[in-house]
Amino acid sequence: MNPFNEKPSKSILELTPNWKGIAAKPYNKLDADPFTKERVILMNGIEVEAALFGHNFHRHCTDNDLRRDIALCRRQEQLQQKHVNWLSPSNETPLETTISYEQLAVDLTACLAMREPDAYAKACMDFALLEDFDHLYRYANLLDFDGDVPAHQLTLDTIEITPGRPTIAHHRHPMDTVRRFNNARTADIRTVLSTMTLTAGEQQTMNFYMNVGNTIPEGPGRDLYQEIGMVEEQHVTQYGALLDPSLTWLENLLLHEYQECYLYWSFYETETDAHIRKIWQEHFEQETMHLFIAAELLEKHEGKDWHELLGDGEFPEKLDLQPTKEYVREVLAATVENTAQAEDFVDVRELPAEHRFFTWNDHVNGRVQDVPSHIVAREHIDQFGEDYRREEAPNPIKDLQDRTHDNTQVGRKQG
Ligand SMILES: [Fe+2]
Ligand SMILES: [Fe+2]
Ligand SMILES: [Fe+2]
Ligand SMILES: [Fe+2]
């Protein structure tokens, strides 16, 4: 598929929906395909990024003709965001939605890591993957307290729920969260698309916790959103660092529109819900319009041809979200003890005692018994005699197999 061959025959006004057009029927939280929920969350995050990027561009631009053109596309991004995010039903609680957010983080990261040609970008993905995998376990334990809808009734067992690198180990010195950037002109297009997609996805999770965390009743759950929200800040820093910072605003706009086209096309091709599939198709058409506008603006204002960044414009293989249980187990078995040191990943057991990882981690955690991510597992164990898990085989890490004791050492302590 090449979006540059798909120029819409309609005008931008004809491609703009009315209120009825964006008021779509929400999915049913108990029987929706978990991957449909993941696609909804991701595309909402992509549209939020499109709108915020558009506003930042606008604020850094001195040419009002160009600002008017950006405003035109940005208005549609906002309509798309409303259309997509309102697919989440009102009876889905923030905590239930959170389960889907963390499941998306795991499945999306694993799917992209499995096809990633750049070894460094793949290492970054594997690194954050294990952390979101542990977040899923922590939130699932919290959700199970009330016994209302346990997490596996939402994930339909398309993902395992078991400890990853324990959340208590994620809190690192900010200087160890910045990674090396790539060159969008020479990088494989899959690397460019994947790092942009993960940046927007993690940013959406960060924003979501920033906003819903305080709607959770007083107790360990409310505090858990603060703790995990701070880890999402680290994930956004990591993926944002990978993006090419030397691109101009208009080059960046072109990449944003190309990425939106790519994702809507992928999801239009793979969606199982017929009603939602139509929405992906409709948005794909709008995005091809944005892509043509971005390419024209780049030519007009900077004299650059879109081929310089996008080659022949042909999409890579589509993004087909699927269960990734085996891959997650492999990464867990191989890298659970990893932490970050500046731009690279190292085995925490080999760090010197005075390393800033330990100083920072001990400082923000305070007493281990006060750490929310530990408390939610411990409280579940106290109440039910064991933690909440959904495993198809024992956890690949021996120290994480004990269901009556929450491990706070793995990934965090010297050997
Ligand atoms: Fe969009
Ligand atoms: Fe997470
Ligand atoms: Fe994350
Ligand atoms: Fe767009």
Side-chain angles (χ1 to χ4, degrees):
M1 160 65 82
N2 189 328
F4 289 97
N5 296 335
E6 305 288 317
K7 189 164 188 168
S9 49
K10 295 177 186 159
S11 70
I12 195 144
L13 185 65
E14 287 168 321
L15 286 172
T16 302
N18 57 24
W19 305 128
K20 195 167 187 299
I22 60 164
K25 185 172 154 282
Y27 58 73
N28 180 321
K29 74 173 183 182
L30 287 178
D31 62 24
D33 181 342
F35 297 103
T36 296
K37 293 181 190 172
E38 290 187 24
R39 286 184 280 267
V40 167
I41 290 168
L42 179 62
M43 292 322 296
N44 175 50
I46 295 293
E47 293 304 345
V48 168
E49 164 63 19
L52 297 183
F53 170 79
H55 279 294
N56 277 306
F57 188 173
H58 167 80
R59 292 171 203 170
H60 288 83
C61 179
T62 53
D63 179 343
N64 260 10
D65 287 333
L66 179 50
R67 298 214 284 188
R68 275 184 277 271
D69 285 325
I70 305 165
L72 189 63
C73 288
R74 193 176 58 239
R75 185 68 69 84
Q76 273 200 348
E77 312 291 9
Q78 281 281 6
L79 286 164
Q80 291 172 322
Q81 187 272 331
K82 309 294 174 287
H83 200 183
V84 175
N85 200 27
W86 269 242
L87 289 169
S88 166
S90 60
N91 68 349
E92 190 173 68
T93 67
L95 184 52
E96 290 167 353
T97 311
T98 297
I99 296 296
S100 299
Y101 265 73
E102 295 293 354
Q103 184 182 1
L104 163 69
V106 173
D107 289 334
L108 174 68
T109 310
C111 279
L112 296 176
M114 280 190 275
R115 71 176 210 185
E116 178 53 51
D118 181 281
Y120 183 64
K122 181 182 183 299
C124 292
M125 294 174 194
D126 289 345
F127 186 66
L129 169 67
L130 292 193
E131 305 196 334
D132 291 317
F133 189 61
D134 193 76
H135 298 167
L136 175 66
Y137 165 77
R138 306 287 155 183
Y139 284 124
N141 273 270
L142 177 66
L143 182 61
D144 201 52
F145 287 155
D146 60 22
D148 191 16
V149 182
H152 61 272
Q153 284 185 25
L154 300 168
T155 65
L156 305 179
D157 286 320
T158 52
I159 190 168
E160 291 186 82
I161 301 176
T162 185
R165 180 183 303 121
T167 297
I168 191 172
H170 302 177
H171 312 302
R172 302 187 182 86
H173 197 287
M175 290 183 182
D176 292 320
T177 60
V178 179
R179 308 281 172 257
R180 284 187 282 275
F181 51 84
N182 68 41
N183 179 336
R185 285 179 173 76
T186 55
D188 189 288
I189 189 65
R190 286 169 293 182
T191 307
V192 175
L193 289 171
S194 297
T195 48
M196 289 182 76
T197 302
L198 288 166
T199 304
E202 294 287 351
Q203 172 179 261
Q204 179 53 36
T205 310
M206 177 185 78
N207 288 345
F208 183 65
Y209 297 163
M210 286 166 95
N211 288 301
V212 304
N214 67 358
T215 66
I216 308 296
E218 270 75 4
R222 190 176 173 90
D223 303 340
L224 183 65
Y225 276 85
Q226 290 191 331
E227 185 191 352
I228 294 184
M230 291 306 292
V231 182
E232 305 306 344
E233 160 65 23
Q234 297 186 167
H235 291 176
V236 181
T237 305
Q238 157 166 298
Y239 289 121
L242 295 175
L243 306 177
D244 185 344
S246 72
L247 297 175
T248 66
W249 285 96
L250 279 167
E251 287 171 333
N252 240 318
L253 179 67
L254 179 79
L255 288 186
H256 273 80
E257 301 303 353
Y258 183 75
Q259 179 215 21
E260 288 184 276
C261 290
Y262 169 72
L263 290 174
Y264 281 126
W265 165 72
S266 292
F267 292 169
Y268 162 64
E269 290 277 317
T270 55
E271 183 56 65
T272 50
D273 179 315
H275 163 68
I276 294 178
R277 186 168 187 263
K278 274 202 199 102
I279 296 176
W280 303 148
Q281 187 180 14
E282 185 188 316
H283 286 198
F284 173 73
E285 203 183 354
Q286 294 163 356
E287 295 301 347
T288 53
M289 173 64 93
H290 302 173
L291 181 66
F292 277 92
I293 293 173
E296 272 169 37
L297 292 174
L298 183 64
E299 170 81 49
K300 182 177 162 192
H301 294 272
E302 295 183 7
K304 290 175 189 157
D305 191 273
W306 61 262
H307 295 89
E308 288 173 33
L309 274 165
L310 297 171
D312 62 7
E314 200 67 39
F315 284 150
E317 63 186 290
K318 63 186 173 240
L319 173 59
D320 185 5
L321 292 169
Q322 296 283 345
T324 54
K325 295 173 191 175
E326 258 174 58
Y327 183 77
V328 175
R329 279 185 169 269
E330 281 166 29
V331 177
L332 186 58
T335 63
V336 71
E337 296 281 4
N338 277 7
T339 191
Q341 175 170 253
E343 285 94 346
D344 295 299
F345 305 109
V346 290
D347 190 316
V348 72
R349 293 167 299 184
E350 287 158 20
L351 289 180
E354 65 281 7
H355 194 279
R356 64 188 176 202
F357 169 77
F358 300 115
T359 329
W360 187 276
N361 185 266
D362 286 344
H363 178 79
V364 296
N365 281 329
R367 299 186 314 169
V368 169
Q369 63 262 44
D370 295 333
V371 177
S373 59
H374 173 57
I375 292 176
V376 290
R378 211 178 60 214
E379 283 205 0
H380 196 286
I381 293 166
D382 289 349
Q383 222 171 308
F384 301 98
E386 58 182 16
D387 64 359
Y388 170 87
R389 291 186 185 204
R390 298 290 287 186
E391 296 175 328
E392 291 181 0
N395 190 299
I397 304 300
K398 205 167 182 315
D399 287 344
L400 300 177
Q401 288 175 355
D402 184 356
R403 297 192 56 182
T404 63
H405 175 76
D406 183 43
N407 187 301
T408 56
Q409 309 285 304
V410 171
R412 183 171 164 263
K413 289 288 173 195
Q414 280 180 302

